[in-house]
Amino acid sequence: MAQSEYGNDILTLVDEDGQEHEFEVVDTLEMGEERYMALVASYDDPQETLEDDGELVILKVLEDEDGEEYLESFQEEEEFDQVAAIFMERLE
């Protein structure tokens, strides 16, 4: 996902409880055959934005057999650490 001329892309993700959460895509990374996204929570209310801890969420972009993309948490801590270090360096 690329940044448009109007700002970063906003994604709506559904958690395991069925709750929807909006995130802003702040960066994407391709490493070999893998693709990753760095996200931060997105809020319409400025007060909620001020109260947020600004935690960076990093997810792996995968494709199902129909070619549809979906996001998944990391299974391997070593892979996460490596990708997180790259994102943190790029976002400083």
Side-chain angles (χ1 to χ4, degrees), residues 1-91:
M1 297 193 148
Q3 185 175 10
S4 72
E5 64 183 273
Y6 302 108
N8 288 342
D9 290 325
I10 302 294
L11 297 178
T12 301
L13 302 180
V14 180
D15 66 18
E16 55 273 350
D17 297 326
Q19 298 260 331
E20 291 186 351
H21 304 275
E22 285 194 348
F23 290 90
E24 181 178 346
V25 178
V26 293
D27 198 3
T28 59
L29 170 67
E30 290 188 30
M31 213 166 62
E33 299 289 316
E34 305 294 344
R35 204 167 107 212
Y36 306 93
M37 284 188 179
L39 314 168
V40 292
S42 176
Y43 301 103
D44 291 330
D45 180 0
Q47 184 62 35
E48 286 184 71
T49 302
L50 290 173
E51 293 171 1
D52 184 56
D53 63 5
E55 181 179 345
L56 188 66
V57 177
I58 301 172
L59 298 170
K60 191 173 190 173
V61 180
L62 299 172
E63 253 184 49
D64 65 15
E65 55 273 350
D66 296 326
E68 293 290 320
E69 288 186 340
Y70 64 97
L71 301 174
E72 183 174 274
S73 325
F74 287 81
Q75 303 299 316
E76 302 292 326
E77 189 173 339
E78 184 177 314
E79 179 184 18
F80 173 80
D81 291 342
Q82 180 182 13
V83 172
I86 294 168
F87 274 128
M88 294 308 288
E89 184 177 307
R90 289 170 54 156
L91 294 172

